[in-house]
């Protein structure tokens, strides 16, 4: 597998029923689009091809919830990690909550 300062290294052998595999995870780019009114917001998750992957209402108790966690739950089990992009094209920060997402959507709409 290569060399280190201690000399050549080897990948450890595994038992009969075990094997190594590459990473099965990849990135899924999801664009977040805020729809609906200010009092009844809805978030659409779209692929870069424009396909709607998920759509959900944002309720008051969810305002300070992490958007990435909620989107992952809405998308269901997949062998990928969602990378969230705002409607403006900017990459969403990992700790983005719905309150911040709605504020960013309002700011983009008035710009």
């Amino acid at each position: 597998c290569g060399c280190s300062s201690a000399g050549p290294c080897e990948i450890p052998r595994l038992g009969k029923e075990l094997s190594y595999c590459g990473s099965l995870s990849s990135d899924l780019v999801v664009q977040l689009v805020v729809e609906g009114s200010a009092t009844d917001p809805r978030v659409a998750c779209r692929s870069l091809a424009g396909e709607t992957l998920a759509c959900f209402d944002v309720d008051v108790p969810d305002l300070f919830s992490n958007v990435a966690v909620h989107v992952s739950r809405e998308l269901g089990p997949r062998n990928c990690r969602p990378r969230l992009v705002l409607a403006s094209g900017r990459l969403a920060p990992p700790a983005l909550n719905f309150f911040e997402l709605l504020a960013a959507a309002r700011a983009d709409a008035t710009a």
Side-chain angles (χ1 to χ4, degrees):
C1 94
C3 291
S4 68
S5 60
C9 61
E10 294 182 17
I11 297 175
R13 297 185 189 275
L14 298 175
K16 281 185 176 182
E17 296 181 18
L18 299 175
S19 65
Y20 288 105
C21 67
S23 174
L24 299 176
S25 158
S26 62
D27 291 342
L28 171 66
V29 179
V30 177
Q31 186 173 31
L32 302 174
V33 180
V34 177
E35 302 172 336
S37 67
T39 57
D40 191 24
R42 188 166 179 73
V43 175
C45 302
R46 297 198 177 113
S47 70
L48 291 182
E51 173 191 4
T52 300
L53 304 171
C55 204
F56 53 89
D57 296 321
V58 179
D59 299 319
V60 172
D62 296 329
L63 281 177
F64 294 100
S65 298
N66 184 285
V67 175
V69 170
H70 196 92
V71 168
S72 293
R73 193 170 39 242
E74 288 291 328
L75 293 176
R78 298 176 184 237
N79 289 331
C80 59
R81 173 181 45 205
R83 295 293 186 187
L84 306 181
V85 176
L86 304 176
S88 65
R90 292 176 298 170
L91 190 62
L96 181 74
N97 64 42
F98 285 106
F99 183 81
E100 296 164 332
L101 174 63
L102 298 175
R106 281 193 298 275
D108 289 343
T110 59

